[in-house]
Amino acid sequence: MAGAQAERSAGAGLTTTRAPFIEQAQAEGRLYISQPYELYTEANHEAWCRLFTRMGDRWSRYANPRFLQGIDNLCLDPHRVPRLEDVNRFLSPLTGFKAKPVSGYVPSFLFFDCLRNREFPTTITIRDGATLDYLPEPDIFHDIAGHVPMHTDRAFADTLVRFGDCAHTAAEIVAGIRDEPEQIRRITSIFKALARFFWFTIEFGLMRSPDGLKVYGSGLLSSHGEIAHAIDSPDVQRYPIQLEWVINQYFEIDHYQPLLFIVDSFDHLFDLVGQLERWMRAGRLNNVSAGEPQVSEPDLRSFLQASGAK
Ligand SMILES: [Fe+2]
């Protein structure tokens, strides 16, 4: 490690982008790792505590009731970064899901395949206490406090598994194409559709309720500012979800979302993923509109490898 970098990392514990343990795992090509709990510093626990406690009021006002129930079911300690083993002890008996520690970005086919096996790739680092509000990378607060409480709900958990099925269907479709440029073109389009659908539901979804709109998307549930903005701001467009719109709608990740989609229930969401898969099989995801998100090389390779392509 270079001198300046070593100095920067000293005492950083498991802070996002400054954790020597993670850098080493990445350098060695290890994606699935352990959670070396003893490496968390007091500053890391302090960051968790501040993030968690300031969300309490926001969650009770804006979050979907299933999420609130999930927070209770997981018995998360507001004062300490959670141990994944403890989280899993409460989570697994409910839906079979487990949080699985990873060292960084999981290429998309592998990510969806983990969901199919009821494993949720989970970041173990935590953001620096000086930048509580904005972080381009996921961290353990986003993954455990934003995503995992929803995984305690059976219909939601089953929906995630269906995303994994969709990724397998995509790989199967690509395996049936002989021409390599056409394979790449097809997987790029299907990937955009899947990623957009995931973004506008699992990450940023809204749901109707007798008390008005509630949040179930994890990107909103882990953001102190955006959770309120998503529901209250006149600057956000909120529309009933339509599959043909969502799969063609680009998104940007570096600012509050100007457009959000509403589902009626978790059963509705589950049915939509089924519809997405039927559309994929019928060729209706083969020519979605260009634009974000871009398909990275590892994403593309992960699908091609799964399809058995060389
Ligand atoms: Fe996320």
Side-chain angles (χ1 to χ4, degrees), residues 54-234:
R54 73 177 187 161
M55 286 308 289
D57 290 348
R58 297 279 162 127
W59 284 334
S60 50
R61 180 158 171 201
Y62 297 109
N64 183 278
R66 300 288 181 83
F67 174 83
L68 298 173
Q69 184 67 54
I71 286 279
D72 283 351
N73 287 341
L74 292 177
C75 303
L76 299 174
D77 181 345
H79 303 291
R80 310 298 284 175
V81 174
R83 276 181 201 272
L84 269 48
E85 278 171 26
D86 293 342
V87 171
N88 291 341
R89 230 164 6 99
F90 293 107
L91 173 62
S92 293
L94 296 171
T95 60
F97 257 86
K98 281 193 176 121
K100 181 182 174 84
V102 294
S103 63
Y105 183 74
V106 180
S108 60
F109 180 85
L110 298 179
F111 177 82
F112 287 124
D113 190 48
C114 280
L115 297 184
R116 193 168 184 243
N117 295 319
R118 296 185 185 258
E119 293 173 331
F120 181 67
T122 301
T123 317
I124 59 166
T125 53
I126 185 156
R127 71 196 77 176
D128 191 317
T131 53
L132 288 190
D133 282 328
Y134 180 68
L135 189 75
E137 303 88 1
D139 74 343
I140 194 169
F141 184 74
H142 170 75
D143 282 348
I144 294 290
H147 278 280
V148 172
M150 292 307 317
H151 304 174
T152 61
D153 180 77
R154 189 161 293 279
F156 189 89
D158 290 347
T159 300
L160 293 182
V161 172
R162 293 290 285 125
F163 270 102
D165 294 340
C166 284
H168 275 261
T169 302
E172 208 182 286
I173 289 169
V174 174
I177 302 170
R178 287 287 142 255
D179 180 44
E180 195 189 319
E182 176 57 16
Q183 277 187 325
I184 291 169
R185 194 196 70 75
R186 192 82 69 90
I187 203 61
T188 299
S189 180
I190 292 174
F191 168 86
K192 279 184 199 290
L194 274 176
R196 287 167 177 169
F197 186 83
F198 193 89
W199 178 265
F200 285 111
T201 57
I202 306 302
E203 293 288 357
F204 284 91
L206 302 180
M207 187 179 293
R208 279 183 222 292
S209 89
D211 306 322
L213 288 182
K214 297 287 178 184
V215 166
Y216 72 91
S218 308
L220 298 173
L221 289 164
S222 59
S223 169
H224 185 258
E226 193 166 6
I227 192 171
H229 185 262
I231 299 292
D232 295 335
S233 171

Side-chain angles (χ1 to χ4, degrees), residues 32-48:
Y32 302 113
I33 56 173
S34 62
Q35 181 190 27
Y37 195 80
E38 67 287 354
L39 294 184
Y40 289 111
T41 61
E42 277 313 306
N44 291 150
H45 290 298
E46 171 68 21
W48 171 272

Side-chain angles (χ1 to χ4, degrees), residues 256-274:
Y256 285 0
Q257 300 301 306
L259 169 62
L260 298 171
F261 293 100
I262 305 161
V263 298
D264 296 333
S265 64
F266 289 118
D267 288 336
H268 181 205
L269 179 61
F270 180 83
D271 290 346
L272 283 168
V273 187

